[in-house]
Amino acid sequence: MIKKIFIFSLALLTLSFFVSAKKSIALDKDVVPDSYIVVLKDGVASPAVVASEMASQHGLSVAFVYSHALKGFAATIPSARLTSLKKDPRVLFISQDRVVATSRKPVPTPTPSPAPQETPTGILRIGSAVNTGAGIGVAVIDTGIDLDHPDLVDNVVAGYSCVRRNTTGNDDNGHGSHVAGTIAAANNSIGVVGVAREAKLYAVKVLDSRGSGTWSSVICGIDYVTANAANIKVANMSLGGGGNSDNNCGITNSDALHKAICASRDAGVTYVVAAGNETDNASNHVPAAYDDAVITVSALADSDGTPGGNGPATSYGSDDTFATFSNFGSVVDLGAPGVAIKSTWKNGGYNTISGTSMATPHVAGAAALYLQKYPGSTWIDIRSGLIGLGEPLGAGHTDPPGFHPEKVVFAGSL
């Protein structure tokens, strides 16, 4: 049952996510023309009032107002007004809005419900936990969740949309439902089972039917999560775009997305994010690069649900090796199964797809289990704890030479 329905809207640009090894070119391609995020100083009493005043004074078209993860708003700003707006004493900084998208590989045709229930290889690989994640709220900041899916409906407690023409957080793409199933598909007689099978899911729709969105739409979702941090303790973000970290919560390089995640982190929400699928250093992609605020996850190619490299080769590498598409680097904290992962899909279906998007919810589910076992843990506690519990380096999986190694998440002791 859906207990609360919230409505918010934004005209999202239908731009494809572009990533290049030439970082500066990638960032130029990611820019949303004339679209900005205005971050106000903490002393401002009412972002809504200030946004209205500035809209009238400078001829702005306001899309979002933010009050929890940061004080500010997103707007279309005429270039001739940008300089004067930056000089307003109420403004801390202004960020250019940018494109983000899901971190998945091409999607095959979805399938109807399998029967009886099966345990996906990814769930097998990370271990069957004693705990269920019962009572732990996990936000899926994504394309939404299939709110009526028989494997998810009992665990979804709220929906929220930051996308025009979607008023409930329902998934019209499939990606968010897939993520949600890996986190918390119910342990019943149908479909699949998730990592934390009794966690409470929050459908936070920030990406459209094509899996595309913007920083401003994602911050809208983060703002909602932060406002509900009393109930939401983990947030999964299987999405990304070009960018870097200043390791200062976005204050040094005027990064509104980074600042919002840090504020939400400080409110008690643990963010688990995808490393990305460009075979690139994850430090060139956000939110993966935000090492001071998130748990970043790379993808493992695992075909049989067990360590040791004895399964058949996958489309993205031999069994138990680093997935060929996965981003890498020192900002990556953990690896998780991300190749040929079966999970729930939109319209009550199921699908088997690959990507760091698919690896990330294994860790988000494990974070929920960790919180159930160790209530009150901070995000640092969770990150350190999961790394400590992970498969020993070199035991059961291999990374390419020169890659920064990370442990594969293990939840069997939770």
Side-chain angles (χ1 to χ4, degrees):
M1 294 293 293
I2 304 302
K3 295 182 178 179
K4 298 179 181 178
I5 302 297
F6 297 86
I7 304 174
F8 217 110
S9 63
L10 171 68
L12 291 178
L13 297 180
T14 56
L15 295 176
S16 298
F17 176 47
F18 178 93
V19 177
S20 168
K22 296 181 179 179
K23 180 171 53 181
S24 61
I25 297 176
L27 290 175
D28 289 343
K29 293 288 187 179
D30 284 346
V31 165
V32 182
D34 298 324
S35 183
Y36 297 89
I37 301 153
V38 180
V39 178
L40 303 172
K41 294 177 180 177
D42 289 339
V44 173
S46 174
V49 170
V50 173
S52 178
E53 291 174 353
M54 289 185 174
S56 177
Q57 180 182 355
H58 296 281
L60 315 182
S61 177
V62 176
F64 292 111
V65 175
Y66 312 119
S67 302
H68 303 283
L70 53 78
K71 290 187 176 182
F73 59 92
T76 300
I77 303 176
S79 57
R81 297 285 187 173
L82 189 59
T83 299
S84 61
L85 189 64
K86 288 180 178 179
K87 294 179 180 178
D88 190 296
R90 295 167 293 183
V91 173
L92 181 63
F93 63 78
I94 298 176
S95 292
Q96 177 81 56
D97 204 1
R98 298 183 183 277
V99 175
V100 295
T102 59
S103 296
R104 72 177 180 203
K105 304 304 288 181
V107 180
T109 304
T111 61
S113 170
Q117 177 179 276
E118 61 184 276
T119 303
T121 55
I123 307 299
L124 290 171
R125 177 56 187 264
I126 73 168
S128 179
V130 175
N131 289 310
T132 63
I136 306 298
V138 182
V140 178
I141 303 176
D142 210 290
T143 63
I145 297 175
D146 181 354
L147 303 177
D148 298 317
H149 198 293
D151 235 353
L152 301 172
V153 64
D154 289 338
N155 288 342
V156 180
V157 296
Y160 184 84
S161 180
C162 298
V163 178
R164 176 179 287 180
R165 292 183 294 278
N166 186 294
T167 61
T168 66
N170 197 46
D171 188 4
D172 52 6
N173 174 276
H175 186 271
S177 297
H178 197 281
V179 167
T182 297
I183 295 170
N187 185 17
N188 50 26
S189 61
I190 62 166
V192 296
V193 64
V195 177
R197 53 195 178 275
E198 294 183 10
K200 299 303 181 184
L201 293 169
Y202 290 75
V204 185
K205 183 172 177 61
V206 300
L207 305 178
D208 62 19
S209 61
R210 304 180 201 193
S212 296
T214 58
W215 280 17
S216 57
S217 63
V218 173
I219 294 172
C220 166
I222 295 169
D223 204 53
Y224 165 76
V225 168
T226 309
N228 291 276
N231 298 314
I232 300 173
K233 296 304 178 184
V234 179
N236 189 103
M237 293 177 65
S238 290
L239 50 79
N244 308 103
S245 174
D246 63 358
N247 294 314
N248 189 31
C249 289
I251 301 302
T252 304
N253 65 349
S254 299
D255 184 341
L257 180 63
H258 195 176
K259 189 176 190 302
I261 291 177
C262 282
S264 197
R265 170 207 67 187
D266 293 344
V269 183
T270 296
Y271 279 78
V272 185
V273 307
N277 301 335
E278 294 75 36
T279 319
D280 187 23
N281 195 313
S283 63
N284 295 329
H285 306 268
V286 297
Y290 300 154
D291 192 45
D292 56 353
V294 304
I295 301 172
T296 300
V297 184
S298 62
L300 174 77
D302 174 89
S303 61
D304 60 1
T306 61
N310 299 314
T314 76
S315 299
Y316 299 107
S318 300
D319 182 39
D320 299 323
T321 62
F322 198 85
T324 56
F325 56 77
S326 183
N327 288 350
F328 52 86
S330 61
V331 298
V332 178
D333 299 298
L334 285 162
V339 173
I341 301 301
K342 191 167 194 174
S343 187
T344 48
W345 198 248
K346 66 177 180 177
N347 300 325
Y350 295 81
N351 214 339
T352 301
I353 58 178
S354 302
T356 54
S357 278
M358 288 56 258
T360 305
H362 288 90
V363 177
L369 297 176
Y370 194 93
L371 274 169
Q372 187 182 13
K373 186 170 183 177
Y374 304 105
S377 295
T378 67
W379 82 279
I380 285 289
D381 295 333
I382 295 168
R383 181 166 74 174
S384 299
L386 291 180
I387 291 173
L389 293 172
E391 291 181 4
L393 292 174
H397 62 276
T398 59
D399 295 323
F403 278 48
H404 180 272
E406 57 268 354
K407 292 183 175 182
V408 173
V409 67
F410 180 72
S413 59
L414 295 175

